[in-house]
Amino acid sequence: MSDCPEVNSPTSDEDRRGFLTKLCLGLSALIGAMITLPGVGFVLAPVFARPKQTWRKLGKLDEYEVGKTVSVEFKDTIDQPWAGVTAMSGAWLRRVSDEEFIAFSINCRHLGCPVNWVEDASLFMCPCHGGVYYEDGEVAAGPPPEPLARYTVRVKDGFVEIETSAVPLTTNDQV
Amino acid sequence: MLGKIWNWIDDRSGFSDVVMPMLEHIVPRDARWWYVFGSATLCAFIVQVLTGVALAMVYVPGGDAAYESLVYITNDATLGYLVRGMHYYGATAMVMLAVIHMTQVYLHASYKYPREMNWMSGVVLLFVVLGMAFTGQLLRWDANGVWSVMVAAEMAARVPFVGGYISQFLMGGETVGGSTLSRFFAIHVFILPGLIFAGVGLHLWLILRHGISEMPKADQPVVPETYKQEYEGRLEKTGVPFWPIAAWRDVVFSAIMVAVIVGCAIFVGPPALGPAPNPANIHANPMPDWYFWWYFAVLSMLPPELETYVILGMPVLGAIGLFVVPMLSNRGHRAPSKRPWAVAVVIFGATAFVVLTIYGYQKPWSPDFDVKPLPPEVVRSDDPNIQHGAVLLRDKGCLYCHNVDGFGGYRGPELSVIGNRLDRGELVIRINNGGYNMPSFASSLTAEELRQMVDFLLTRTDHPKQTPGEDPSN
């Protein structure tokens, strides 16, 4: 193109070309923004959303024996209809006394694998990398840097209820 | 008629004018069997694209139905078993061949001038391929897949400042649920394959631009100032057209590779699906696919204080380290005989991979939840106290980590002859107080139980008959 002689003066031609270059680049950026921004916002929305945690009923108070630690299941906060069984969360629930319950997250604080309660040894053990916790959730052995996370539990109208919670991420105290 | 149609297609598309010269570009005569791994990796990718598209026609990327759709594909759909198996073994082949191809290029220093960017684009492709392998494992969406998401989210959370956001991006929220699988599906079928297509395009273009490297010769170091001229001179004299003089080996090797993939899919079959993906199910034992076992082993053996640095640092440093290889040295010798350190790096890397993979498979550091009670021939005693001590050793979880005569885990020290090393007082202190990597059992053992356990442990010597309290009749 630059080989074609133009009748216009070189300055006005350069101006025109410069303007058109800027126009094309500017409009392309605008097109790009219009195409991508809604999608980016759509994809990132769940990252910044803080869903309101809700109480879920676990069972009647008299179903739980004092001193026993049992696994319980409940629906997590965002129970999208298509989540199916993956909307379930689990916890280890212990009835400490008549009215007092403790609930531990099942996620090992090392890398999130599911910890198992070993009744006779009174220990929580993780199958992945050897994390072990005492019955109060404190680290007993292995790599976990922090004690097991806890859920909030209450007794209401004769039912044990648990408050849903985010997955406890090791270096981000979101629980 | 057919000739006319072909002529029309050829004229309008420019196949003979544009594509054939590319296919027939001159390559070094000595480019022999060493050079087949790159094209085989590409062929494995084609297997993945075709079987992946087929699977996506039936697979439902939703938390509620993905598992059922996979069960349907595996058990009921016509040829579903075969296609799923091919996709699995194709992934294995692609990871293996990419690594072998890279090792060969590194050993022959083909990354040196002017092919630095070939290597760099290859390194990016390698990490994208590993990303494909990982996200693909999650799409299996059995219990293992769900827990792998959790592990991935936890690893990502270690990134300073933004880790939490990355994790929530991966999970599509605060927990693993409805959004999570859809995200991984989109990453696995749109984003990463797009990157692979673009990367392969660049990689192939660079091969055409700079030519295939020759086999390294000890008396032929790379001198960038004169390399291109000399390379082209040698090609003119001794080169052969790629198609079909050199290409036939690539085709033969790829054919064997695809046959092996199909054979594995038919005779071994796709990996068995684990239990259904209920995140509340705590009886899962998450385990990555075999090519990640080495990393699993590394994570298990690290001291906790180093962990975050390794989880984040190893992939990043590994990627950067590989990426900058041609920047560190893009001239000089290419022959392995003149580059002993490069050979040493490959031998060390391969050995570490094999050893860590074996460790990762055996995972001796994890508690063995399935351990059986010690049989009488191991207990070797009629004394009820000692027998009960042996029972307690399992019930209290000691055997999950410690091994006695081949029974139990391997995370802690073996106890088969512990009676030789420790006396009663020392055993009591160890069990009560715990120690490095061992829980304290003071609060969960009665004095009686502790005594019985210690009695049993004291019989664990290599001269059992001399131990006091032991029944010598055996």
Side-chain angles (χ1 to χ4, degrees):
Chain A
M1 268 223 315
S2 57
D3 295 338
C4 300
E6 292 278 346
V7 266
N8 293 346
S9 73
T11 329
S12 74
D13 184 45
E14 271 170 30
D15 283 353
R16 185 176 148 77
R17 197 173 295 180
F19 169 74
L20 291 179
T21 305
K22 282 178 192 153
L23 179 75
C24 287
L25 289 179
L27 280 181
S28 300
L30 184 66
I31 294 170
M34 287 192 296
I35 296 172
T36 52
L37 286 182
V40 169
F42 173 75
V43 170
L44 291 185
V47 176
F48 299 100
R50 286 282 168 275
K52 200 171 169 301
Q53 304 299 348
T54 49
W55 290 95
R56 301 275 191 221
K57 272 189 185 144
L58 292 177
K60 284 189 181 154
L61 181 61
D62 53 19
E63 290 171 20
Y64 298 96
E65 196 182 319
V66 175
K68 278 270 178 199
T69 305
V70 293
S71 74
V72 290
E73 292 186 10
F74 53 94
K75 266 199 165 182
D76 69 25
T77 323
I78 326 163
D79 53 345
Q80 289 130 329
W82 65 90
V85 73
T86 55
M88 300 304 287
S89 286
W92 287 108
L93 181 74
R94 180 183 307 136
R95 184 168 187 179
V96 183
S97 62
D98 275 355
E99 287 289 303
E100 195 192 344
F101 283 82
I102 306 180
F104 295 101
S105 157
I106 56 172
N107 296 114
C108 178
R109 297 308 294 276
H110 177 224
L111 286 175
C113 292
V115 293
N116 287 238
W117 169 247
V118 182
E119 178 78 47
D120 290 320
S122 300
L123 294 170
F124 292 101
M125 287 183 158
C126 175
C128 284
H129 305 103
V132 184
Y133 305 82
Y134 292 118
E135 58 182 345
D136 61 357
E138 290 295 324
V139 179
E146 290 166 30
L148 282 178
R150 293 191 187 195
Y151 288 91
T152 316
V153 205
R154 71 179 180 192
V155 179
K156 197 181 173 196
D157 304 333
F159 282 92
V160 183
E161 295 185 339
I162 192 165
E163 191 180 23
T164 57
S165 184
V167 166
L169 298 170
T170 307
T171 52
N172 293 273
D173 287 325
Q174 293 173 349
V175 163
Chain B
M1 180 69 184
L2 278 178
K4 267 190 178 174
I5 294 174
W6 167 246
N7 285 340
W8 185 87
I9 293 173
D10 191 31
D11 178 66
R12 303 305 191 272
S13 67
F15 185 83
S16 295
D17 291 343
V18 181
V19 181
M20 273 320 279
M22 280 196 232
L23 280 175
E24 287 172 344
H25 74 279
I26 304 299
V27 298
R29 180 179 291 278
D30 58 2
R32 296 171 79 88
W33 289 103
W34 273 104
Y35 287 53
V36 297
F37 302 111
S39 57
T41 312
L42 180 59
C43 185
F45 177 59
I46 294 168
V47 171
Q48 292 310 87
V49 171
L50 296 180
T51 53
V53 168
L55 288 173
M57 300 231 173
V58 174
Y59 181 75
V60 184
D64 56 343
Y67 184 73
E68 279 72 23
S69 70
L70 268 171
V71 170
Y72 170 77
I73 288 171
T74 313
N75 298 336
D76 299 321
T78 309
L79 295 177
Y81 179 84
L82 178 67
V83 175
R84 211 192 125 212
M86 282 174 69
H87 200 67
Y88 174 74
Y89 293 106
T92 304
M94 201 171 161
V95 172
M96 278 174 72
L97 289 165
V99 171
I100 294 171
H101 172 55
M102 196 176 81
T103 309
Q104 180 260 317
V105 167
Y106 177 73
L107 270 180
H108 288 172
S110 306
Y111 57 81
K112 292 194 176 186
Y113 178 89
R115 301 184 182 85
E116 299 95 329
M117 200 191 267
N118 300 43
W119 170 269
M120 291 168 175
S121 58
V123 170
V124 173
L125 278 169
L126 175 77
F127 278 82
V128 179
V129 167
L130 291 177
M132 283 296 276
F134 187 63
T135 49
Q137 192 196 332
L138 304 180
L139 295 188
R140 226 174 282 154
W141 213 240
D142 51 7
N144 204 358
V146 169
W147 284 107
S148 302
V149 179
M150 204 71 88
V151 172
E154 286 283 351
M155 283 188 179
R158 305 271 181 125
V159 178
F161 308 117
V162 294
Y165 294 110
I166 300 176
S167 292
Q168 298 209 355
F169 174 77
L170 288 176
M171 292 190 288
E174 294 188 323
T175 51
V176 172
S179 306
T180 314
L181 177 59
S182 317
R183 272 169 192 256
F184 277 94
F185 183 73
I187 293 171
H188 186 78
V189 304
F190 295 118
I191 298 175
L192 297 183
L195 288 175
I196 294 186
F197 275 115
V200 167
L202 174 64
H203 208 62
L204 289 179
W205 158 246
L206 291 171
I207 290 169
L208 287 175
R209 179 164 161 74
H210 300 298
I212 294 174
S213 70
E214 300 155 287
M215 280 298 280
K217 293 186 185 64
D219 57 351
Q220 222 175 64
V222 174
V223 182
E225 291 76 22
T226 56
Y227 177 82
K228 278 192 178 175
Q229 219 179 352
E230 288 172 8
Y231 172 78
E232 274 157 26
R234 285 193 294 269
L235 269 199
E236 241 168 63
K237 265 191 254 162
T238 62
V240 292
F242 174 71
W243 180 264
I245 309 293
W248 72 267
R249 288 189 183 82
D250 296 75
V251 177
V252 168
F253 185 76
S254 289
I256 295 171
M257 190 252 328
V258 175
V260 170
I261 291 175
V262 175
C264 286
I266 293 173
F267 297 112
V268 188
L273 288 169
N278 182 350
N281 173 17
I282 34 85
H283 301 294
N285 189 2
M287 187 80 181
D289 277 340
W290 70 268
Y291 28 81
F292 291 119
W293 285 351
W294 67 273
Y295 195 49
F296 193 80
V298 169
L299 290 180
S300 303
M301 293 194 288
L302 281 175
E305 58 271 20
L306 286 181
E307 205 158 59
T308 302
Y309 299 105
V310 173
I311 288 174
L312 300 177
M314 199 139 100
V316 174
L317 282 184
I320 294 175
L322 286 173
F323 193 80
V324 300
V325 160
M327 294 182 198
L328 300 177
S329 143
N330 76 336
R331 57 189 303 142
H333 282 293
R334 288 183 54 214
S337 60
K338 299 273 186 186
R339 296 165 55 242
W341 282 105
V343 178
V345 164
V346 170
I347 292 175
F348 175 78
T351 312
F353 175 81
V354 171
V355 170
L356 287 171
T357 300
I358 293 170
Y359 271 159
Y361 177 65
Q362 294 176 333
K363 55 186 175 64
W365 37 76
S366 282
D368 181 0
F369 290 110
D370 299 326
V371 69
K372 302 278 179 291
L374 291 175
E377 63 269 25
V378 171
V379 179
R380 300 191 304 256
S381 174
D382 292 333
D383 182 339
N385 256 331
I386 289 174
Q387 286 176 342
H388 195 233
V391 172
L392 284 169
L393 211 63
R394 173 180 173 271
D395 288 350
K396 295 293 177 185
C398 311
L399 281 187
Y400 288 19
C401 299
H402 294 281
N403 196 288
V404 176
D405 291 340
F407 292 84
Y410 287 92
R411 187 175 176 87
E414 196 178 328
L415 301 180
S416 301
V417 290
I418 190 72
N420 285 349
R421 287 200 291 121
L422 301 180
D423 63 21
R424 179 174 296 275
E426 288 165 331
L427 281 169
V428 167
I429 289 171
R430 292 282 168 104
I431 295 170
N432 268 338
N433 294 358
Y436 175 73
N437 245 349
M438 173 168 160
S440 140
F441 284 84
S443 61
S444 58
L445 282 175
T446 63
E448 174 72 4
E449 287 172 332
L450 180 63
R451 190 182 55 74
Q452 289 172 333
M453 261 166 77
V454 171
D455 279 351
F456 169 72
L457 289 172
L458 285 173
T459 67
R460 298 297 101 186
T461 63
D462 50 12
H463 44 89
K465 285 182 183 172
Q466 296 167 20
T467 311
E470 164 101 316
D471 183 351
S473 63
N474 194 17

